[in-house]
Amino acid sequence: MNIEKRLSLEALCLFNSWRYKFYHLPFVFICVNNYCNARCIMCDIWKEPHNDRLSLEEIEGAIKILLQYKLKEVVISGGEPLLHPEITKILKLLKEHHLRVTLCTNGMLLKELGQEVACFTDKLVISLDGDTAPLHDSIRGVPSFDQVLDGIEYMKGQKNKVELALRCTIQKSNFLRLDKIIEVAKSQKVESLSFAPVYTLPGAFGRHQKDLRLALEEKDLAGFILIIKEAIRLYARDFNSGFISTSPQKLFALHAYFRSILTQTEFKRSRCILPWVSLVIEPSGDVHPCFFKESIGNLRQKSLREILCFKDSSIARSNISNAESCNQCNADFWRGF
């Protein structure tokens, strides 16, 4: 996120928090469904017993209200959003309102639905968690590496050009391959590559309890810092150009993040503004101030306007303090919209 945009959002955060009233909410994250065709080891959404999804009508109702709060950008996620039976209609609806649309996908269905996606999407964020099929597929839980690369190639051939971004979740099984993953991303000729650490706490990605099995251990940290330094040296041009959108400072912060998990101390991060400039809507209709906080209401029980105007929802946003989910939050790595 550039400095100008960050300062603008900081000012908006202060404006919205004044007298616990919302004036502008420029971003919304909509998780349209909770079913998925992958079986990722770092995500438990696919284990949910009930296949839930937001209907086109529910999304349309929420968008109409959010437009009154100066909505500008929508991030569509899941589960795997391309499995939603009305995903094309949802994307088309968003573009009809002149919104910027980012879609997060595992990339497995791009060849089947890529043409429709290209018509109504500004940016695709595609998961790539390894530089080889065995590594990527072992993390994703299903054979998908070749499908992802084929899907990327297919999207590059579309008449309607979409910004293609790759996202890698760093964890114990792939941190040693950081440089090799960069090489694969470069070979795909996409617009950008970013890195985020695996999330270990309950409350997001379908997790109901802490799981440290995928986090780096003490014996891994010394090697990881060397890998980071070497990547910064080898790919200085790619950092400078923005192709690697995770800055060198953020890469070092990855190391600090994993250390904070080991030591159970607070991860030093930027002041949190997400709950004051965005919200998250889940497939169940639950509305959250961020991915890692409890629900402040449900679309199927109250209108979104009622939820946003309820003073307790604003107080919940202001209560971003010393909870473990805040102290070890990894939002700094994927904030950037």
Side-chain angles (χ1 to χ4, degrees):
M1 186 185 300
N2 62 45
I3 294 175
E4 291 80 7
K5 188 172 184 179
R6 172 74 192 190
L7 290 175
S8 175
L9 291 178
E10 289 277 8
L12 181 54
C13 173
L14 291 172
F15 189 52
N16 279 341
S17 59
W18 181 59
R19 296 177 62 187
Y20 297 119
K21 187 174 181 179
F22 295 98
Y23 298 90
H24 293 177
L25 283 171
F27 307 106
V28 62
F29 298 86
I30 303 179
C31 304
V32 295
N33 58 359
N34 67 355
Y35 38 97
C36 190
N37 50 354
R39 298 293 181 264
C40 300
I41 60 176
M42 65 284 196
C43 175
D44 290 341
I45 291 175
W46 58 271
K47 297 179 182 178
E48 293 293 326
H50 305 293
N51 288 338
D52 210 345
R53 67 172 184 254
L54 292 168
S55 68
L56 177 65
E57 292 73 24
E58 287 173 324
I59 293 172
E60 184 174 20
I63 292 299
K64 285 181 177 179
I65 292 171
L66 289 169
L67 285 169
Q68 298 171 30
Y69 289 84
K70 312 298 183 184
L71 180 65
K72 300 295 182 185
E73 301 185 30
V74 181
V75 178
I76 296 293
S77 185
E80 171 49 51
L82 293 183
L83 287 171
H84 194 294
E86 296 182 294
I87 188 60
T88 302
K89 293 180 180 179
I90 291 170
L91 296 175
K92 183 180 179 182
L93 166 72
L94 299 177
K95 294 311 296 180
E96 285 174 347
H97 288 293
H98 308 290
L99 296 166
R100 176 173 169 79
V101 178
T102 296
L103 188 143
C104 302
T105 175
N106 60 33
M108 294 170 63
L109 294 174
L110 288 178
K111 288 191 73 172
E112 288 83 350
L113 297 170
Q115 188 171 359
E116 292 88 343
V117 168
C119 290
F120 307 115
T121 305
D122 298 288
K123 180 178 181 179
L124 274 176
V125 179
I126 305 164
S127 298
L128 182 74
D129 291 322
D131 60 302
T132 64
L135 177 57
H136 176 87
D137 295 352
S138 67
I139 292 173
R140 289 277 141 183
V142 294
S144 56
F145 182 77
D146 292 334
Q147 281 179 279
V148 171
L149 298 191
D150 288 346
I152 292 170
E153 194 63 31
Y154 182 78
M155 294 306 299
K156 289 189 293 187
Q158 294 304 302
K159 180 179 179 180
N160 296 295
K161 297 302 179 184
V162 181
E163 180 184 348
L164 301 177
L166 299 181
R167 168 64 55 87
C168 177
T169 301
I170 294 294
Q171 54 198 281
K172 187 173 180 60
S173 55
N174 67 3
F175 78 96
L176 290 172
R177 309 294 293 179
L178 186 71
D179 57 336
K180 302 297 189 299
I181 292 169
I182 292 173
E183 285 296 330
V184 171
K186 288 177 58 125
S187 73
Q188 296 306 300
K189 295 180 169 54
V190 295
E191 276 74 22
S192 65
L193 166 69
S194 61
F195 297 97
V198 65
Y199 190 70
T200 61
L201 297 177
F205 308 111
R207 289 206 183 282
H208 300 293
Q209 59 186 11
K210 182 185 289 189
D211 188 350
L212 299 178
R213 290 174 297 173
L214 303 180
L216 272 60
E217 301 176 40
E218 183 67 39
K219 62 184 176 64
D220 301 323
L221 292 178
F224 188 37
I225 198 71
L226 294 176
I227 291 168
I228 290 171
K229 290 179 178 178
E230 184 67 0
I232 293 171
R233 184 186 69 83
L234 290 174
Y235 301 104
R237 182 176 298 179
D238 297 301
F239 283 105
N240 291 334
S241 70
F243 171 76
I244 302 177
S245 59
T246 304
S247 68
Q249 291 79 9
K250 285 283 180 71
L251 279 185
F252 285 121
L254 275 170
H255 183 272
Y257 177 83
F258 283 116
R259 180 166 291 285
S260 75
I261 293 175
L262 286 174
T263 58
Q264 297 186 10
T265 55
E266 181 176 354
F267 169 62
K268 186 178 180 180
R269 66 202 187 283
S270 304
R271 176 174 176 267
C272 186
I273 61 173
L274 279 176
W276 287 104
V277 298
S278 66
L279 77 162
V280 177
I281 303 176
E282 296 279 3
S284 62
D286 281 340
V287 179
H288 299 259
C290 75
F291 282 102
F292 312 106
K293 286 296 187 181
E294 62 276 1
S295 170
I296 56 174
N298 188 289
L299 293 178
R300 293 168 183 166
Q301 298 169 5
K302 293 181 180 180
S303 75
L304 184 57
R305 188 187 305 281
E306 289 181 278
I307 294 170
L308 292 174
C309 290
F310 188 45
K311 185 174 181 180
D312 282 358
S313 71
S314 295
I315 293 173
R317 282 172 148 80
S318 67
N319 250 347
I320 306 300
S321 56
N322 291 321
E324 188 179 18
S325 61
C326 294
N327 291 341
Q328 293 186 6
C329 175
N330 66 356
D332 266 1
F333 298 97
W334 50 259
R335 182 171 56 210
F337 310 102

Coordinates of all heavy atoms in Angstrom, one line a residue, residues 227-287:
I227 N 17.8 -17.1 4.2 CA 17.1 -17.2 3.0 C 16.5 -15.9 2.6 O 16.5 -15.5 1.4 CB 16.0 -18.3 3.1 CG1 16.6 -19.7 3.2 CG2 15.0 -18.2 1.9 CD1 15.7 -20.8 3.6
I228 N 15.9 -15.1 3.6 CA 15.4 -13.8 3.3 C 16.4 -12.9 2.8 O 16.2 -12.2 1.8 CB 14.7 -13.3 4.6 CG1 13.4 -14.1 4.9 CG2 14.4 -11.8 4.4 CD1 12.8 -13.7 6.3
K229 N 17.6 -12.8 3.5 CA 18.6 -11.9 3.1 C 19.1 -12.2 1.6 O 19.4 -11.4 0.8 CB 19.8 -12.0 4.0 CG 19.5 -11.4 5.4 CD 20.7 -11.6 6.4 CE 20.4 -10.9 7.7 NZ 21.5 -11.1 8.7
E230 N 19.2 -13.5 1.3 CA 19.7 -13.9 0.0 C 18.6 -13.5 -1.1 O 19.0 -13.1 -2.2 CB 19.9 -15.4 0.0 CG 20.5 -16.0 -1.3 CD 21.9 -15.5 -1.6 OE1 22.5 -14.7 -0.8 OE2 22.5 -15.8 -2.7
A231 N 17.4 -13.7 -0.7 CA 16.3 -13.3 -1.7 C 16.3 -11.8 -2.0 O 16.2 -11.4 -3.1 CB 15.0 -13.8 -1.2
I232 N 16.5 -11.1 -0.9 CA 16.6 -9.6 -1.1 C 17.8 -9.2 -2.0 O 17.7 -8.3 -2.8 CB 16.6 -8.9 0.3 CG1 15.3 -9.1 1.0 CG2 17.0 -7.4 0.1 CD1 15.4 -8.7 2.5
R233 N 18.9 -9.9 -1.8 CA 20.1 -9.6 -2.6 C 19.9 -10.0 -4.1 O 20.2 -9.3 -5.0 CB 21.3 -10.4 -2.0 CG 22.6 -10.0 -2.7 CD 23.7 -10.9 -2.2 NE 23.6 -12.3 -2.6 CZ 24.0 -12.8 -3.8 NH1 24.5 -12.0 -4.7 NH2 23.8 -14.1 -4.1
L234 N 19.3 -11.2 -4.3 CA 19.2 -11.8 -5.6 C 18.1 -11.1 -6.4 O 18.2 -10.9 -7.7 CB 18.9 -13.3 -5.6 CG 20.0 -14.2 -5.1 CD1 19.5 -15.6 -5.0 CD2 21.2 -14.1 -6.1
Y235 N 17.1 -10.6 -5.8 CA 15.9 -10.1 -6.5 C 15.6 -8.6 -6.2 O 14.5 -8.2 -6.1 CB 14.7 -11.0 -6.1 CG 14.9 -12.4 -6.5 CD1 15.1 -13.4 -5.5 CD2 14.8 -12.8 -7.8 CE1 15.3 -14.7 -5.8 CE2 15.0 -14.2 -8.1 CZ 15.3 -15.1 -7.2 OH 15.5 -16.4 -7.5
A236 N 16.7 -7.9 -6.0 CA 16.6 -6.5 -5.7 C 15.7 -5.7 -6.7 O 14.9 -4.9 -6.4 CB 18.0 -5.8 -5.5
R237 N 16.0 -6.1 -8.0 CA 15.3 -5.4 -9.1 C 13.8 -5.7 -9.0 O 12.9 -4.8 -9.3 CB 15.8 -5.9 -10.4 CG 15.2 -5.2 -11.6 CD 15.8 -5.6 -12.9 NE 17.3 -5.2 -12.9 CZ 18.1 -5.4 -13.9 NH1 17.6 -6.1 -15.0 NH2 19.3 -5.0 -13.9
D238 N 13.4 -6.9 -8.6 CA 12.0 -7.3 -8.5 C 11.3 -6.7 -7.3 O 10.1 -6.4 -7.4 CB 11.9 -8.8 -8.4 CG 12.4 -9.5 -9.7 OD1 11.9 -9.2 -10.8 OD2 13.4 -10.3 -9.6
F239 N 12.0 -6.4 -6.2 CA 11.5 -5.7 -5.1 C 11.3 -4.2 -5.5 O 10.2 -3.6 -5.3 CB 12.4 -5.8 -3.9 CG 12.3 -7.1 -3.2 CD1 13.3 -8.0 -3.3 CD2 11.2 -7.3 -2.4 CE1 13.3 -9.2 -2.6 CE2 11.2 -8.5 -1.7 CZ 12.2 -9.5 -1.8
N240 N 12.2 -3.7 -6.2 CA 12.2 -2.2 -6.6 C 11.1 -2.0 -7.6 O 10.4 -0.9 -7.6 CB 13.5 -1.8 -7.2 CG 14.6 -1.7 -6.1 OD1 14.3 -1.6 -4.9 ND2 15.9 -1.9 -6.5
S241 N 10.8 -2.9 -8.5 CA 9.8 -2.8 -9.5 C 8.4 -3.0 -8.9 O 7.4 -2.6 -9.6 CB 10.0 -3.7 -10.7 OG 9.8 -5.1 -10.2
G242 N 8.3 -3.6 -7.8 CA 7.0 -3.9 -7.2 C 6.5 -5.3 -7.6 O 5.4 -5.7 -7.2
F243 N 7.3 -6.0 -8.4 CA 6.8 -7.4 -8.8 C 6.7 -8.2 -7.5 O 5.7 -8.9 -7.4 CB 7.8 -8.0 -9.8 CG 7.5 -9.5 -10.0 CD1 6.4 -9.9 -10.8 CD2 8.3 -10.5 -9.4 CE1 6.1 -11.2 -11.0 CE2 7.9 -11.8 -9.5 CZ 6.9 -12.2 -10.3
I244 N 7.7 -8.2 -6.7 CA 7.5 -8.8 -5.3 C 6.9 -7.7 -4.4 O 7.6 -6.8 -4.0 CB 8.9 -9.3 -4.8 CG1 9.5 -10.3 -5.7 CG2 8.7 -10.0 -3.4 CD1 10.9 -10.8 -5.3
S245 N 5.6 -7.8 -4.2 CA 4.9 -6.7 -3.5 C 5.1 -6.8 -2.0 O 4.8 -5.8 -1.4 CB 3.4 -6.8 -3.9 OG 2.9 -8.0 -3.5
T246 N 5.6 -7.9 -1.5 CA 6.0 -7.9 -0.1 C 7.4 -7.3 0.0 O 8.3 -7.9 -0.5 CB 6.0 -9.4 0.4 OG1 4.7 -9.9 0.2 CG2 6.3 -9.4 1.9
S247 N 7.5 -6.2 0.7 CA 8.7 -5.4 0.7 C 9.8 -6.2 1.5 O 9.5 -7.1 2.3 CB 8.5 -4.1 1.4 OG 8.2 -4.2 2.8
P248 N 11.1 -5.8 1.4 CA 12.1 -6.5 2.2 C 11.8 -6.3 3.7 O 12.1 -7.2 4.5 CB 13.4 -5.7 1.8 CG 13.1 -5.3 0.4 CD 11.7 -5.0 0.3
Q249 N 11.3 -5.2 4.1 CA 10.9 -5.0 5.5 C 9.9 -6.0 5.9 O 9.9 -6.5 7.1 CB 10.4 -3.5 5.7 CG 11.5 -2.5 5.6 CD 11.8 -2.1 4.1 OE1 11.1 -2.6 3.2 NE2 12.8 -1.3 3.9
K250 N 8.9 -6.2 5.1 CA 7.9 -7.2 5.4 C 8.4 -8.6 5.4 O 7.9 -9.4 6.2 CB 6.7 -7.1 4.4 CG 5.8 -5.9 4.6 CD 4.9 -6.0 5.7 CE 4.0 -4.8 5.9 NZ 3.0 -4.7 4.8
L251 N 9.4 -8.9 4.6 CA 10.0 -10.2 4.7 C 10.7 -10.5 6.0 O 10.6 -11.5 6.6 CB 11.0 -10.4 3.5 CG 10.4 -10.8 2.2 CD1 11.6 -11.1 1.2 CD2 9.5 -12.0 2.2
F252 N 11.4 -9.4 6.5 CA 12.0 -9.5 7.8 C 10.9 -9.7 8.9 O 11.1 -10.3 9.9 CB 12.9 -8.3 8.1 CG 14.2 -8.4 7.4 CD1 14.6 -7.4 6.5 CD2 15.1 -9.4 7.6 CE1 15.8 -7.4 5.8 CE2 16.3 -9.5 6.9 CZ 16.7 -8.5 6.0
A253 N 9.8 -9.0 8.6 CA 8.7 -9.1 9.6 C 8.1 -10.5 9.6 O 7.6 -10.9 10.6 CB 7.6 -8.1 9.2
L254 N 8.2 -11.2 8.5 CA 7.8 -12.6 8.5 C 8.5 -13.4 9.5 O 8.0 -14.2 10.3 CB 8.0 -13.2 7.1 CG 7.0 -13.1 6.0 CD1 7.5 -13.6 4.7 CD2 5.7 -13.8 6.4
H255 N 9.9 -13.2 9.6 CA 10.7 -13.8 10.5 C 10.3 -13.4 12.0 O 10.2 -14.3 12.9 CB 12.2 -13.5 10.3 CG 13.1 -14.1 11.2 ND1 13.5 -13.6 12.4 CD2 13.8 -15.3 11.1 CE1 14.4 -14.4 13.0 NE2 14.6 -15.4 12.2
A256 N 10.1 -12.1 12.2 CA 9.6 -11.7 13.5 C 8.3 -12.2 13.9 O 8.0 -12.5 15.1 CB 9.6 -10.1 13.5
Y257 N 7.4 -12.4 12.9 CA 6.1 -12.9 13.2 C 6.2 -14.4 13.7 O 5.6 -14.7 14.7 CB 5.3 -12.9 11.9 CG 3.9 -13.5 12.0 CD1 2.8 -12.8 12.6 CD2 3.7 -14.8 11.7 CE1 1.6 -13.3 12.7 CE2 2.4 -15.4 11.8 CZ 1.4 -14.6 12.3 OH 0.1 -15.2 12.4
F258 N 7.0 -15.2 13.1 CA 7.1 -16.6 13.5 C 7.8 -16.6 14.9 O 7.5 -17.5 15.7 CB 7.9 -17.4 12.5 CG 7.0 -17.8 11.3 CD1 7.3 -17.3 10.0 CD2 5.9 -18.6 11.5 CE1 6.5 -17.7 8.9 CE2 5.1 -19.0 10.4 CZ 5.4 -18.5 9.1
R259 N 8.8 -15.7 15.1 CA 9.4 -15.7 16.4 C 8.4 -15.3 17.5 O 8.4 -15.9 18.6 CB 10.6 -14.7 16.4 CG 11.3 -14.7 17.8 CD 12.6 -14.0 17.7 NE 13.6 -14.8 17.0 CZ 14.2 -15.9 17.5 NH1 13.9 -16.3 18.7 NH2 15.1 -16.5 16.8
S260 N 7.5 -14.4 17.2 CA 6.5 -14.0 18.2 C 5.6 -15.2 18.6 O 5.1 -15.3 19.7 CB 5.7 -12.8 17.7 OG 4.7 -13.2 16.7
I261 N 5.3 -16.0 17.6 CA 4.5 -17.2 17.9 C 5.2 -18.1 18.9 O 4.7 -18.6 19.8 CB 4.2 -18.0 16.6 CG1 3.2 -17.1 15.7 CG2 3.5 -19.3 16.9 CD1 2.9 -17.7 14.4
L262 N 6.5 -18.3 18.6 CA 7.3 -19.2 19.5 C 7.4 -18.6 20.9 O 7.3 -19.4 21.9 CB 8.7 -19.4 18.9 CG 8.9 -20.3 17.7 CD1 10.3 -20.2 17.2 CD2 8.5 -21.7 18.1
T263 N 7.6 -17.3 21.0 CA 7.8 -16.7 22.3 C 6.5 -16.2 23.0 O 6.5 -15.8 24.1 CB 8.8 -15.5 22.2 OG1 8.2 -14.6 21.3 CG2 10.2 -16.0 21.7
Q264 N 5.4 -16.4 22.2 CA 4.1 -15.9 22.7 C 4.1 -14.5 23.1 O 3.6 -14.1 24.2 CB 3.6 -16.9 23.8 CG 3.4 -18.3 23.4 CD 2.8 -19.2 24.4 OE1 2.3 -18.7 25.5 NE2 2.8 -20.5 24.2
T265 N 4.8 -13.7 22.3 CA 4.8 -12.2 22.6 C 4.1 -11.5 21.5 O 3.8 -12.1 20.4 CB 6.3 -11.7 22.7 OG1 7.0 -12.1 21.5 CG2 7.0 -12.4 23.9
E266 N 3.9 -10.2 21.7 CA 3.2 -9.4 20.7 C 4.0 -9.2 19.4 O 5.2 -8.9 19.5 CB 2.8 -8.1 21.3 CG 2.0 -7.2 20.3 CD 1.5 -5.9 20.9 OE1 1.7 -5.7 22.1 OE2 1.0 -5.1 20.2
F267 N 3.4 -9.4 18.3 CA 4.1 -9.1 17.0 C 3.9 -7.6 16.7 O 2.8 -7.1 16.6 CB 3.4 -10.0 15.9 CG 3.9 -9.6 14.5 CD1 5.2 -9.6 14.2 CD2 3.0 -9.1 13.6 CE1 5.6 -9.3 12.9 CE2 3.3 -8.7 12.3 CZ 4.7 -8.8 12.0
K268 N 5.0 -6.9 16.6 CA 5.0 -5.5 16.4 C 4.5 -5.2 15.0 O 5.0 -5.7 14.0 CB 6.4 -4.9 16.6 CG 6.4 -3.4 16.5 CD 7.8 -2.8 16.7 CE 7.8 -1.3 16.6 NZ 9.2 -0.8 16.8
R269 N 3.4 -4.5 14.9 CA 2.8 -4.3 13.6 C 2.3 -2.8 13.5 O 2.3 -2.1 14.5 CB 1.6 -5.2 13.4 CG 0.5 -4.9 14.4 CD -0.5 -6.0 14.6 NE -1.6 -5.7 15.5 CZ -1.6 -5.5 16.8 NH1 -0.5 -5.7 17.4 NH2 -2.7 -5.2 17.4
S270 N 1.9 -2.4 12.3 CA 1.3 -1.1 12.1 C 0.0 -1.0 12.9 O -0.6 -2.0 13.2 CB 1.1 -0.9 10.6 OG 2.3 -1.0 9.8
R271 N -0.3 0.3 13.2 CA -1.6 0.5 13.8 C -2.7 -0.1 13.0 O -2.8 0.2 11.8 CB -1.8 2.0 14.0 CG -3.2 2.4 14.6 CD -3.2 3.9 14.8 NE -4.5 4.3 15.3 CZ -5.5 4.7 14.5 NH1 -5.3 4.8 13.2 NH2 -6.6 5.1 15.0
C272 N -3.6 -0.8 13.6 CA -4.7 -1.5 12.9 C -5.8 -0.5 12.5 O -6.4 0.2 13.3 CB -5.3 -2.6 13.7 SG -6.4 -3.6 12.8
I273 N -6.1 -0.5 11.2 CA -7.1 0.4 10.7 C -8.2 -0.4 10.0 O -9.3 0.2 9.7 CB -6.6 1.5 9.7 CG1 -5.9 0.8 8.5 CG2 -5.6 2.4 10.5 CD1 -5.5 1.8 7.4
L274 N -8.0 -1.7 9.7 CA -9.0 -2.4 8.9 C -10.4 -2.4 9.5 O -11.3 -2.2 8.7 CB -8.5 -3.9 8.7 CG -7.4 -4.1 7.6 CD1 -7.0 -5.6 7.7 CD2 -8.0 -3.7 6.3
P275 N -10.6 -2.6 10.8 CA -12.0 -2.6 11.3 C -12.7 -1.3 11.1 O -14.0 -1.3 11.2 CB -11.8 -2.9 12.8 CG -10.5 -3.6 12.9 CD -9.6 -2.9 11.8
W276 N -12.0 -0.2 10.9 CA -12.7 1.1 10.7 C -12.9 1.5 9.2 O -13.5 2.5 9.0 CB -11.9 2.2 11.4 CG -12.0 2.1 12.9 CD1 -11.1 1.6 13.8 CD2 -13.2 2.4 13.7 NE1 -11.7 1.6 15.1 CE2 -12.9 2.1 15.0 CE3 -14.5 2.9 13.3 CZ2 -13.8 2.3 16.0 CZ3 -15.4 3.1 14.4 CH2 -15.1 2.8 15.7
V277 N -12.3 0.8 8.3 CA -12.4 1.1 6.9 C -13.0 0.0 6.0 O -13.1 0.1 4.8 CB -11.1 1.6 6.3 CG1 -10.6 2.9 7.0 CG2 -10.0 0.5 6.4
S278 N -13.3 -1.2 6.7 CA -13.8 -2.3 5.9 C -14.6 -3.2 6.9 O -14.7 -2.9 8.1 CB -12.6 -3.1 5.4 OG -11.9 -3.7 6.4
L279 N -15.2 -4.2 6.3 CA -15.8 -5.3 7.1 C -15.8 -6.6 6.3 O -15.5 -6.6 5.1 CB -17.3 -4.9 7.5 CG -18.4 -5.0 6.5 CD1 -19.7 -4.9 7.2 CD2 -18.4 -3.8 5.5
V280 N -16.1 -7.6 7.0 CA -16.1 -9.0 6.4 C -17.5 -9.6 6.5 O -18.1 -9.5 7.6 CB -15.1 -9.9 7.2 CG1 -15.1 -11.3 6.6 CG2 -13.7 -9.3 7.1
I281 N -18.0 -10.1 5.4 CA -19.3 -10.8 5.4 C -19.1 -12.3 5.1 O -18.5 -12.6 4.1 CB -20.3 -10.2 4.4 CG1 -20.5 -8.7 4.7 CG2 -21.6 -10.9 4.4 CD1 -21.3 -8.0 3.6
E282 N -19.5 -13.1 6.0 CA -19.3 -14.6 5.9 C -20.4 -15.3 5.2 O -21.5 -14.7 5.0 CB -19.1 -15.2 7.3 CG -17.9 -14.7 8.1 CD -16.7 -15.4 7.7 OE1 -16.7 -16.3 6.8 OE2 -15.6 -15.2 8.3
P283 N -20.2 -16.5 4.7 CA -21.3 -17.2 4.0 C -22.6 -17.4 4.8 O -23.6 -17.6 4.3 CB -20.6 -18.6 3.6 CG -19.2 -18.3 3.7 CD -19.0 -17.3 4.7
S284 N -22.4 -17.5 6.1 CA -23.5 -17.6 7.1 C -24.4 -16.4 7.2 O -25.4 -16.4 7.8 CB -23.0 -18.0 8.4 OG -22.2 -17.0 9.0
G285 N -23.8 -15.3 6.7 CA -24.5 -14.0 6.9 C -23.9 -13.2 8.0 O -24.2 -12.0 8.2
D286 N -23.0 -13.8 8.8 CA -22.3 -13.1 9.9 C -21.5 -12.0 9.4 O -20.8 -12.1 8.3 CB -21.5 -14.0 10.7 CG -22.3 -14.9 11.7 OD1 -23.4 -14.5 12.0 OD2 -21.7 -15.9 12.1
V287 N -21.5 -10.8 10.1 CA -20.7 -9.7 9.7 C -19.7 -9.5 10.8 O -20.0 -9.5 12.0 CB -21.6 -8.4 9.6 CG1 -20.8 -7.2 9.2 CG2 -22.7 -8.6 8.5

